[in-house]
Amino acid sequence: MAPKIQTYIRTMDAVSETTGTIAAWMFFTTGIIVSFEVFMRYMLNSLTIWVDEMSRFFRSGPPIWRLAMC
């Protein structure tokens, strides 16, 4: 293959790896903050207003990034 194509493939592979890692951490963080919300709601009878917004953001961002890579 031509050197330009190899460089392009390596660059896209690095971008894909990086966005995949970020997406994985965002899904992990979503699980943590939703667990925190369940604890706050049922154990302490105190609702938080930011968990719903953050979990929606963290769940909707990664699939959109992955579609951009296709």
Side-chain angles (χ1 to χ4, degrees):
M1 280 194 267
K4 288 184 180 182
I5 293 174
Q6 289 177 343
T7 303
Y8 176 76
I9 291 172
R10 285 188 188 126
T11 303
M12 286 298 109
D13 189 38
V15 168
S16 179
E17 187 73 28
T18 303
T19 57
T21 302
I22 292 170
W25 279 107
M26 288 178 79
F27 283 124
F28 178 74
T29 305
T30 299
I32 298 295
I33 64 174
V34 168
S35 298
F36 174 74
E37 171 67 17
V38 169
F39 173 76
M40 291 295 290
R41 178 179 291 175
Y42 294 113
M43 299 297 178
L44 303 178
N45 285 332
S46 175
L47 295 175
T48 57
I49 59 174
W50 56 271
V51 169
D52 184 49
E53 295 293 326
M54 291 299 291
S55 65
R56 285 181 194 209
F57 171 74
F58 282 165
R59 285 180 305 182
S60 63
I64 293 170
W65 295 342
R66 298 309 294 172
L67 287 174
M69 292 302 298
C70 290

